[in-house]
Structures are given as C-alpha cells and as structure tokens.
Amino acid sequence: KTMIITISGALGSGKSTVAKILVQKFNLKHYSTGDFMREIAAKREVTLLELSKLAETDRSVDKELDDYQIKLGKDEDNFIIDARLGWHFIPNSIKIFLDVTDEEAAKRIFKEGRTDEKYNTDLNATLENIKNRRASEIKRYLDYYNLNYYDHNNYDLVVDTTEIPAEEVAEKIIKFIEEKK
C-alpha cells in the first residue's frame, strides 16, 4: 500500500517538525523543498530571502523545485514531503495544510535561529520578513501557476498549529489518515 503525504502551510507553522514525527510513525522517507531551496541558495551563494526574490523574475528556481517534486511523485511510493506546492505537483497525495498566526510563526522562527536566515535580527524583523516572504510567494505562485497555496480548499486536512505543540498536530494528522483508510 502506498502512502504519500504532502504538507504545505504557513511559514513557521511546523511543517518539517511535524513531518519528522510522521516519518517515525509511518516509517516513511522525508523530503523537504525547504532543504532543497537551501541547497539551491547555497549553490548560488545567496540567502533564502534573496533566492525567493530572485525566483519572482527567474523561473529556473521554481522549475528546479517543481521538477524535483514531480519526479518524486512519479518515482516513489512512500514518503512525506513538506513543500508549499507539493499538493499540486503530487496530486495523488494526502494533502495537509498547517496554519499559524504570523506572531507565533515569528517567535518560532526567531527562537530557532536558523543560520541561513541571519537577517532575522529580532522578533520584529522576523515578523516583517515572514510577511514579505509570504507576499512574495503568493504573488509568484499566482503569476506562475494561478494557484494560492493559502486556499484551504486545496487540502484534505487543515490544522491550526498556533496553540498546539507539534506532537499534537501530528496526532490529529495520524487520526485523520487512519480514519480515511
């Protein structure tokens, strides 16, 4: 039996943290376009924010990400991917969206202190960067694909993670998947 789970969601909603818990539970491989974006950024010697900005005018960034996801969806049967547009590129997946308030997202991202996001110098800067990055992504995906990944109608399950820890979010998803079977 195949199981492919795509996890999309807001910045700082806990996509990779929740994915890692589900990977353990269902014994699946884990992929992340965030990790892949970081690899592309490193290769091009730019920050994530710069790469996002670049992607607004340079389609090659998204093309690389899209092809990567499409190939995974075709070549593999059992995996989880946290990816903004995974639900779109891997249509036969269980589609999950994680939501969170901007304020909570900023706290989480700032606390994490991601080394490749040094521009998040304080909580306010982090909040501002979240809003800018989201606006950039929404614009880009509308322009390129005529899609809004924030539209909850694209998903099988939406979980607001603002008030609940990752373990509890994962529990909700596990319950949903087991009831679907």
Side-chain angles (χ1 to χ4, degrees):
K1 183 105 178 79
T2 67
M3 184 184 293
I4 299 173
I5 303 170
T6 50
I7 300 183
S8 183
L11 297 161
S13 60
K15 292 180 297 296
S16 41
T17 310
V18 170
K20 283 173 187 137
I21 298 168
L22 296 174
V23 160
Q24 296 294 306
K25 165 72 183 167
F26 293 116
N27 192 21
L28 299 170
K29 274 191 230 151
H30 178 222
Y31 299 100
S32 166
T33 49
D35 292 346
F36 195 56
M37 277 285 278
R38 287 179 174 87
E39 282 171 34
I40 297 171
K43 207 164 55 187
R44 295 184 182 212
E45 298 179 334
V46 294
T47 68
L48 265 181
L49 200 59
E50 287 166 343
L51 188 67
S52 272
K53 274 295 189 218
L54 183 69
E56 284 179 29
T57 52
D58 179 354
R59 289 242 19 196
S60 72
V61 178
D62 280 302
K63 178 108 183 64
E64 211 174 325
L65 280 168
D66 303 348
D67 293 347
Y68 168 74
Q69 293 173 76
I70 292 165
K71 189 173 169 8
L72 274 178
K74 289 199 172 97
D75 296 352
E76 298 202 25
D77 293 330
N78 293 290
F79 66 92
I80 293 178
I81 182 166
D82 54 274
R84 295 265 191 282
L85 298 180
W87 57 274
H88 171 71
F89 290 113
I90 310 169
N92 58 327
S93 61
I94 299 165
K95 305 168 183 76
I96 312 286
F97 184 88
L98 303 183
D99 215 346
V100 66
T101 63
D102 289 346
E103 291 68 28
E104 177 61 23
K107 276 184 214 156
R108 290 176 187 175
I109 290 171
F110 185 65
K111 201 175 84 190
E112 219 173 85
R114 296 176 184 174
T115 53
D116 55 359
E117 297 184 29
K118 287 190 176 62
Y119 41 82
N120 291 329
T121 46
D122 60 32
L123 208 51
N124 280 338
T126 307
L127 185 59
E128 209 42 49
N129 287 326
I130 285 172
K131 289 175 178 174
N132 291 338
R133 210 169 127 200
R134 179 178 55 225
S136 162
E137 287 177 347
I138 287 177
K139 178 191 182 311
R140 198 164 98 221
Y141 300 150
L142 273 173
D143 288 352
Y144 287 1
Y145 314 100
N146 198 25
L147 294 175
N148 180 355
Y149 76 94
Y150 264 85
D151 180 350
H152 291 177
N153 295 319
N154 295 318
Y155 306 96
D156 300 315
L157 177 69
V158 175
V159 182
D160 187 333
T161 71
T162 305
E163 301 288 338
I164 57 176
E167 291 71 27
E168 208 175 309
V169 175
E171 275 310 312
K172 284 180 188 276
I173 295 169
I174 291 163
K175 196 166 166 253
F176 174 79
I177 290 170
E178 285 172 349
E179 282 168 6
K180 251 183 82 125
K181 273 184 185 165

